[in-house]
Every structure is written in structure tokens, then in C-alpha cells.
Amino acid sequence: MNIIVLSDHGMVDLAANKTILLDSIINMEDIERYIQDPMTMIQPRPGRVEKVYQQLKEAENHYTVYKKEDLPKRYHLKESRRVMDIIMMAEMPYTILTSDDEENFVENLPQGTHGYDNQEKKMHAFFAARGPDFKTGDTVSSFKNIHVYALMAHLLNLEPAPHDGTLDSVKMLMNGGRVR
């Protein structure tokens, strides 16, 4: 039997004094909606995208702001209909919120969160595997979780559905690096 234990992401400790107050940078009346997180998405009102973007860009400190079309390709979000026009990516361990939410955030400070840049080591997932098809005692470099599906399908002798991962990216985990 082969056993795989993994997480979907890493975690970062939060701090009460590491906040970015969105409403101190932009007029909240200029936006229709937003989703707060380390990666905060903002939908400005019609005709206000450039104004809101420029205000965020000029105040850029402990975060990076992008227009949707300028998001790095590695995020795989540019084409998503769920992504709003402006995206702010906080630096670890900063949190983006509004003044109305700050007191509650500080009083109920979560121990940690995720959602920061996936290239940050602390955002990398945990992966451990044991069994007859896996090498023992080896530690390997980080790899993307998208490859785990190909690995599991291979181990179970299943034909995988279309996906973005490759078995070649995880064969170093297997005994002799062999793929059946």
C-alpha cells in the first residue's frame, strides 16, 4: 500500500500591526465590491478603474497592485471570470482590510493564513509519501501540487482526466524514478 499525506498550501503567522487599510488609500464609494484576503480583489465602479488603480499604485507599500490583464501568468487567473479588475497582493505577513474590520481582526487575530504569493517558501505545501512505489529517506525540492493528481492516477492504475500536471514532474519520488 502507498500512502500520501499532503496539504494544499502553507501558512503564515499574522500580526496585529501588519495591516493595510484599504479605505485609507481609496474612497470606498469608488468601488462596487471587494474581497479581502492577502490577495484582495477590487471591482471599481464603471469608469473608475484607472483612478482606483492609480491611487493604489501611488500608495504601494507592503503590497503589489495589478490590473487583471497585468497579473503574472503563473497565477493562472487572468482569464477567470471570477477575478475582479484590480488585484492587490499583500507581502507576508500583511493583511488587507478596512478600518471597520480592523478592531475585529486585532481582537480575534487568527493564528495564521494563506493566499500569499505561491513562490514564497512559507506558502509551499507539505508532502510526504511512503510505500513500495516510493523512495525512502529522500527529501526532494518543492513541486507544484498540480502534479499530485498524475501521481495518484498512476499509482492507482487509472486513466487521468485532462489536467495541467505531469507524471514526469514527480517521478523523482518513485523507487528508481521509474514509472510503470
Side-chain angles (χ1 to χ4, degrees):
M1 177 173 19
N2 293 299
I3 297 173
I4 296 172
V5 178
L6 71 141
S7 65
D8 58 345
H9 51 72
M11 294 293 282
V12 172
D13 293 335
L14 293 175
N17 64 341
K18 303 285 185 181
T19 60
I20 299 163
L21 299 179
L22 188 57
D23 54 338
S24 72
I25 303 169
I26 62 171
N27 180 345
M28 299 301 282
E29 297 293 319
D30 286 338
I31 65 175
E32 290 181 346
R33 59 191 164 112
Y34 65 99
I35 298 172
Q36 291 180 174
D37 229 349
M39 184 183 81
T40 294
M41 293 193 284
I42 301 167
Q43 186 58 55
R45 294 194 185 284
R48 297 187 187 167
V49 172
E50 193 60 36
K51 175 186 175 185
V52 172
Y53 174 77
Q54 287 304 322
Q55 289 172 328
L56 292 167
K57 194 71 176 163
E58 288 168 13
E60 206 170 39
N61 186 24
H62 300 297
Y63 68 88
T64 304
V65 64
Y66 301 99
K67 289 182 183 175
K68 179 180 177 177
E69 63 268 18
D70 297 329
L71 276 168
K73 185 176 180 173
R74 65 187 173 82
Y75 289 142
H76 301 279
L77 294 172
K78 265 187 198 183
E79 304 304 319
S80 175
R81 62 181 171 73
R82 295 180 180 165
V83 175
M84 296 178 200
D85 286 346
I86 297 176
I87 297 86
M88 295 172 67
M89 179 66 71
E91 292 175 5
M92 291 189 309
Y94 282 83
T95 300
I96 301 168
L97 41 83
T98 62
S99 300
D100 291 344
D101 300 319
E102 186 177 28
E103 183 178 339
N104 185 48
F105 174 78
V106 172
E107 286 177 8
N108 301 294
L109 186 65
Q111 291 214 341
T113 196
H114 57 91
Y116 296 96
D117 189 328
N118 62 3
Q119 286 188 336
E120 295 284 352
K121 184 93 171 136
K122 287 186 175 186
M123 287 295 97
H124 292 190
F126 171 83
F127 178 95
R130 187 154 194 153
D133 288 319
F134 291 105
K135 292 179 183 177
T136 56
D138 280 3
T139 300
V140 300
S141 298
S142 294
F143 58 89
K144 294 179 180 179
N145 272 0
I146 61 170
H147 305 300
V148 176
Y149 175 70
L151 174 64
M152 291 189 300
H154 171 75
L155 292 170
L156 295 168
N157 269 336
L158 298 173
E159 185 66 34
H163 64 286
D164 292 334
T166 66
L167 191 55
D168 284 345
S169 296
V170 290
K171 68 182 177 184
M172 79 289 206
L173 302 168
M174 305 181 79
N175 271 327
R178 70 177 179 265
V179 175
R180 299 182 248 158

